[in-house]
């Protein structure tokens, strides 16, 4: 009996195992352990959380493979790592390390301003960001096995995450009411592959798992995203830029499981210490926003 | 017949879709009182450390152990780990099944695979004898079965990937990620 690896089913399948969970950004093996003990379903290994990338500026690249490997050795849960948009060699390096998922991420400085990585060429699965359904389905067309709405990373302001999740969910709802003969025109309008538009209509949801990301800082933020219909939540700077990371991490995990139970949400939101300071997006110059990276 | 699906974390929605297709009444279980009135429970795939931790935090361990003494429980992947007595690692377990499991036994995600299995137990209920196409995601193996636990299926190299002990069932793979409902029907036959 032959065993097939690297199929789209097993790539998509790992994302399905992450559903209802929280994926946390970590910059050291110690952080990774805190995240695992708090109940994270996976960690994202990187050198700097998005808030620090923002603060420090410069070119943001793939993290040192040695750091990623140390984080992989420190926990039993899946480990993800980021490569730059279009930087397929960084992706090859991450694949050779054996990371469980690659995030082709707008948080890093793009390496290609026209093309994303052809993700079908890899055995390791990819997650990509989106702001709307067209962008999501273009990424799935390139081989992404998981999608996350972008939000605005490193701000602690959930407003963009909400905007992107509402946009995607609203577009899917409208798509499900369209006549079949309207789908080709709609596919053209949103710049998405026709077959994936058709599949999305038939499923009534995104054809791959869809998490929220970019600005989640509190248990209530996480539950808000879940109630808006995403499958799980990425938390970047929100945990390790807060006053009590272990406590906040555990609270956000509980909030994602019990996202529909306000009494439990109240309970887990108590006495968490200082949240990350955050930056109000409405006062941020356009040039500092990163969600626009990706094509 | 009402089957609950533990909805702490993981692919519980996929199990619910398959159960609904079989016209079985189903509900999500996140808190102990939601076990009341169920004929059986499925513990889905996901991260066993996450599921175990939250089961402790929300006082589900003892109620689940009591439930499993008299009711059918099926664990897929993380669920199988959670059902076991021994996962070769310090993490919360139900300890209901006399099996020893090894987590991530095939390696990391790039080693996740699909393969056809021979599962004789599925053929006894009159269903087709076709091979069972199984999906393994960072899967555990069942290193050994003890006591009254029995092997339901193994890979050609002998590694055990499905086991049963009375009304308890453990699979390393994910029937909920396929359209093949034979395993769900087999579990329903244990849940009567």
């Amino acid at each position: 009996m032959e065993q097939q690896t690297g199929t789209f089913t097993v790539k998509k399948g790992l994302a399905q195992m992450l559903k209802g969970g929280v994926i946390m950004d970590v910059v050291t093996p110690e952080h990774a352990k805190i995240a695992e003990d708090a109940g994270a379903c996976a960690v994202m290994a990187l050198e700097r959380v998005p808030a620090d990338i923002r603060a420090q500026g410069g070119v943001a690249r793939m993290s040192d493979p040695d750091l990623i490997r140390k984080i992989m050795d420190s926990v039993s849960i899946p480990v993800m790592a980021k490569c730059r948009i279009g930087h397929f060699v960084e992706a090859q390096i991450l694949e050779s390390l054996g990371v469980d998922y690659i995030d082709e991420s707008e948080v890093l400085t793009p390496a290609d301003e026209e093309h994303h990585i052809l993700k079908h060429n890899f055995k390791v699965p990819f997650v990509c960001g989106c702001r709307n359904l067209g962008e999501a389905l273009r990424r799935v067309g390139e081989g992404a096995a998981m999608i996350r709405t972008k939000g605005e990373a490193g701000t602690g302001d959930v407003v963009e995450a909400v905007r992107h999740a509402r946009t995607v969910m609203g577009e899917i709802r409208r798509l499900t009411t369209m006549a079949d003969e309207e789908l080709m025109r709609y596919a053209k309008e949103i710049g998405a592959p026709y077959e994936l538009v058709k599949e999305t209509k038939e499923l009534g949801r995104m054809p791959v798992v869809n998490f929220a990301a970019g600005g989640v800082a509190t248990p209530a933020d996480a539950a808000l995203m879940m109630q808006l219909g995403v499958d799980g939540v990425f938390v970047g700077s929100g945990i390790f830029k807060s006053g009590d990371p272990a406590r906040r991490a555990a609270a956000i995990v509980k909030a994602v499981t019990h996202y529909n139970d306000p009494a439990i949400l109240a309970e887990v939101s108590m006495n968490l210490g200082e949240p990350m300071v955050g930056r109000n997006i409405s006062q941020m110059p356009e040039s500092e926003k990163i969600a626009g990276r990706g094509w | 017949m009402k089957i609950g699906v533990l909805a702490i974390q993981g692919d519980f929605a996929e199990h619910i879709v398959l159960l609904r297709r079989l016209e079985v009444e189903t509900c999500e279980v996140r808190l102990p009182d939601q076990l009341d009135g169920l004929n059986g429970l499925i513990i889905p795939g996901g991260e066993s450390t996450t599921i175990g931790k939250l089961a402790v935090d929300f006082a589900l361990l003892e109620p689940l152990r009591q439930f499993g003494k008299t009711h059918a429980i099926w664990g897929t992947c993380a669920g199988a780990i959670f059902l076991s007595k021994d996962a070769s690692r310090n993490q919360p377990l139900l300890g209901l099944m006399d099996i020893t499991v090894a987590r991530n036994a095939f390696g990391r995600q790039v080693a996740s695979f699909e393969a056809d299995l021979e599962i004789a137990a599925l053929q006894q209920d009159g269903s087709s004898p076709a091979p069972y196409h199984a999906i393994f995601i960072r899967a555990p193996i069942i290193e050994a079965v003890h006591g009254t636990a029995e092997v339901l299926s193994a890979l050609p190299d002998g590694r055990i990937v499905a086991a049963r002990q009375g009304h308890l069932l453990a699979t390393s793979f994910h029937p909920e990620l396929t359209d093949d409902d034979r395993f769900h029907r087999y579990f329903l036959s244990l849940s009567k």
Side-chain angles (χ1 to χ4, degrees):
Chain A
M1 273 178 284
E2 206 179 321
Q3 298 186 358
Q4 303 161 279
T5 57
T7 62
F8 198 64
T9 300
V10 300
K11 290 176 171 180
K12 210 169 90 164
L14 179 55
Q16 287 171 282
M17 297 313 131
L18 302 174
K19 286 167 71 174
V22 182
I23 301 169
M24 302 181 190
D25 279 3
V26 298
V27 301
T28 65
E30 293 71 34
H31 279 184
K33 202 71 199 107
I34 291 171
E36 182 176 50
D37 291 344
C41 66
V43 292
M44 178 76 69
L46 71 181
E47 274 169 348
R48 295 182 286 172
V49 295
D52 288 335
I53 292 175
R54 276 185 185 286
Q56 292 162 12
V59 176
R61 310 177 179 91
M62 175 188 79
S63 298
D64 183 339
D66 183 57
L67 171 79
I68 295 167
R69 178 157 282 167
K70 282 179 178 142
I71 288 171
M72 288 166 63
D73 290 342
S74 69
V75 290
S76 66
I77 56 179
V79 176
M80 303 183 165
K82 290 182 192 289
C83 73
R84 285 179 266 177
I85 290 173
H87 205 315
F88 51 87
V89 173
E90 286 187 347
Q92 290 164 4
I93 291 169
L94 293 174
E95 181 174 57
S96 82
L97 288 178
V99 301
D100 296 295
Y101 242 93
I102 295 176
D103 183 4
E104 187 184 17
S105 178
E106 71 283 359
V107 169
L108 305 183
T109 311
D112 189 326
E113 293 195 332
E114 287 178 39
H115 309 101
H116 283 250
I117 296 170
L118 187 56
K119 293 164 276 284
H120 287 298
N121 288 346
F122 290 78
K123 277 201 165 183
V124 63
F126 282 75
V127 55
C128 287
C130 77
R131 287 160 297 170
N132 52 54
L133 184 61
E135 193 174 15
L137 295 183
R138 286 194 293 280
R139 297 295 85 80
V140 176
E142 293 156 357
M146 178 179 182
I147 289 294
R148 53 175 176 77
T149 48
K150 285 180 177 171
E152 191 60 39
T155 61
D157 188 344
V158 80
V159 67
E160 292 300 304
V162 168
R163 187 192 321 281
H164 299 155
R166 277 204 181 276
T167 301
V168 170
M169 299 301 169
E171 286 170 319
I172 292 173
R173 277 191 292 273
R174 282 195 296 283
L175 176 57
T176 58
T177 64
M178 282 181 200
D180 285 345
E181 61 267 30
E182 294 173 320
L183 299 186
M184 185 59 84
R185 191 198 57 84
Y186 187 64
K188 180 184 171 195
E189 186 181 301
I190 65 173
Y194 170 76
E195 289 301 330
L196 291 174
V197 170
K198 195 161 157 276
E199 188 183 347
T200 304
K201 184 197 162 181
E202 282 159 9
L203 294 170
R205 58 155 292 141
M206 191 92 82
V208 298
V209 165
N210 177 31
F211 270 46
V216 173
T218 67
D221 288 348
L224 172 67
M225 300 316 298
M226 293 297 290
Q227 287 197 29
L228 285 172
V230 301
D231 296 316
V233 176
F234 282 87
V235 186
S237 320
I239 290 171
F240 289 98
K241 285 286 164 189
S242 73
D244 188 344
R247 202 174 161 84
R248 182 165 296 266
I252 292 176
V253 168
K254 290 177 189 167
V256 167
T257 294
H258 295 283
Y259 67 93
N260 257 332
D261 190 329
I264 292 179
L265 294 175
E267 177 78 29
V268 304
S269 299
M270 289 178 192
N271 304 311
L272 295 182
E274 283 300 307
M276 73 178 280
V277 175
R279 288 193 55 188
N280 183 328
I281 289 173
S282 62
Q283 289 160 13
M284 181 184 281
E286 281 303 316
S287 59
E288 286 188 34
K289 294 183 184 171
I290 60 182
R293 297 167 174 175
W295 0 100
Chain B
M1 170 88 71
K2 188 173 181 186
I3 304 293
V5 182
L6 193 66
I8 290 177
Q9 188 271 326
D11 69 338
F12 49 86
E14 283 77 353
H15 276 292
I16 286 172
V17 167
L18 257 166
L19 290 170
R20 291 217 172 111
R21 219 175 64 198
L22 293 168
E23 298 181 350
V24 175
E25 195 185 347
T26 177
C27 69
E28 297 177 357
V29 174
R30 291 183 175 81
L31 294 169
D33 58 4
Q34 293 163 339
L35 291 167
D36 297 345
L38 298 180
N39 301 92
L41 179 78
I42 296 176
I43 304 175
E47 276 307 309
S48 62
T49 51
T50 305
I51 293 170
K53 179 187 184 290
L54 289 176
V56 171
D57 290 349
F58 290 94
L60 271 158
L61 278 190
E62 268 316 306
L64 286 171
R65 285 175 184 144
Q66 291 306 320
F67 184 86
K69 283 184 182 164
T70 48
H71 295 82
I73 304 186
W74 172 21
T76 58
C77 193
I81 296 166
F82 194 43
L83 273 177
S84 73
K85 279 219 163 80
D86 182 358
S88 326
R89 188 179 180 279
N90 185 24
Q91 66 182 68
L93 301 174
L94 292 179
L96 283 167
M97 280 186 82
D98 290 311
I99 57 175
T100 304
V101 299
R103 290 182 58 198
N104 304 334
F106 299 91
R108 306 194 71 98
Q109 169 62 13
V110 285
S112 291
F113 65 99
E114 304 180 43
D116 287 338
L117 299 176
E118 305 287 344
I119 306 178
L122 294 184
Q123 292 156 26
Q124 287 166 0
D125 65 350
S127 57
S128 85
Y132 189 87
H133 189 70
I135 298 166
F136 295 82
I137 311 281
R138 284 174 48 97
I141 55 164
I142 299 166
E143 285 186 319
V145 297
H146 315 279
T148 55
E150 53 182 324
V151 176
L152 285 190
S153 185
L155 292 169
D157 61 10
R159 286 189 283 184
I160 305 163
V161 291
R164 176 187 163 182
Q165 185 169 17
H167 52 268
L168 303 171
L169 189 59
T171 57
S172 302
F173 50 90
H174 296 281
E176 74 279 14
L177 296 185
T178 69
D179 286 328
D180 189 341
D181 57 21
R182 284 181 288 166
F183 236 104
H184 285 78
R185 283 188 277 133
Y186 178 68
F187 176 65
L188 294 177
S189 77
L190 304 180
S191 308
K192 295 262 157 63

